[in-house]
Amino acid sequence: MGKRDKRVAWVNPIAAARASGPKEVTGTTIRDYLDRDRPTIEEVTEKIKKAREGSHALANWEEQQQKKFSRELAAQRALVLGESGSSKIPKKRKKKEKKKNSKKRHRGRSRVSFM
């Protein structure tokens, strides 16, 4: 019956830590963190001003894109206005296509009774 006895001695971890003694400090301590050099108020205000100003690159890019868009828009307007006054052929074609489409719609309908 002694083979079934698998008990292990339980050790209090807090008592074991106290028995081993104090551990050596490695790395930075709270004192080191509190004693670090900090920026002055003037330096902080300068950083805040720079952050508020933002990047000029984005503003320049947006302005450039706006100018490009306005040029493209002006070119498209010129094309549309130039085409509308030059000839009336496209209007006639539109009317013919509209008539054809309306005829197709009427022909496609069939009467079905639901009884």
Side-chain angles (χ1 to χ4, degrees):
M1 293 232 182
K3 293 180 182 178
R4 300 176 90 189
D5 188 16
K6 295 186 179 180
R7 289 180 289 178
V8 179
W10 183 80
V11 179
N12 185 349
I14 297 171
R18 286 182 182 156
S20 65
K23 294 195 172 191
E24 292 183 20
V25 178
T26 57
T28 58
T29 62
I30 295 173
R31 178 62 55 199
D32 295 337
Y33 180 75
L34 292 174
D35 291 340
R36 75 188 189 284
D37 49 332
R38 296 183 189 96
T40 62
I41 293 176
E42 292 83 18
E43 292 173 351
V44 172
T45 53
E46 287 176 14
K47 286 182 182 180
I48 291 172
K49 284 180 184 178
K50 287 181 182 178
R52 285 185 183 166
E53 289 176 2
S55 175
H56 295 289
L58 179 62
N60 292 339
W61 180 80
E62 286 178 348
E63 186 178 328
Q64 184 182 11
Q65 291 297 321
Q66 189 174 8
K67 287 179 183 178
K68 182 181 174 183
F69 177 73
S70 63
R71 279 183 272 154
E72 290 176 2
L73 186 62
Q76 290 294 326
R77 284 182 185 157
L79 285 173
V80 170
L81 293 175
E83 289 178 3
S84 64
S86 63
S87 65
K88 295 182 180 180
I89 296 171
K91 288 183 182 178
K92 290 181 181 179
R93 288 183 187 166
K94 286 181 184 178
K95 286 182 182 179
K96 287 181 182 178
E97 288 177 6
K98 192 173 183 180
K99 286 182 182 178
K100 286 181 184 178
N101 289 339
S102 64
K103 287 180 183 178
K104 287 181 182 177
R105 284 188 206 147
H106 293 297
R107 289 182 188 169
R109 292 183 185 170
S110 62
R111 295 185 183 184
V112 178
S113 62
F114 294 101
M115 289 188 155

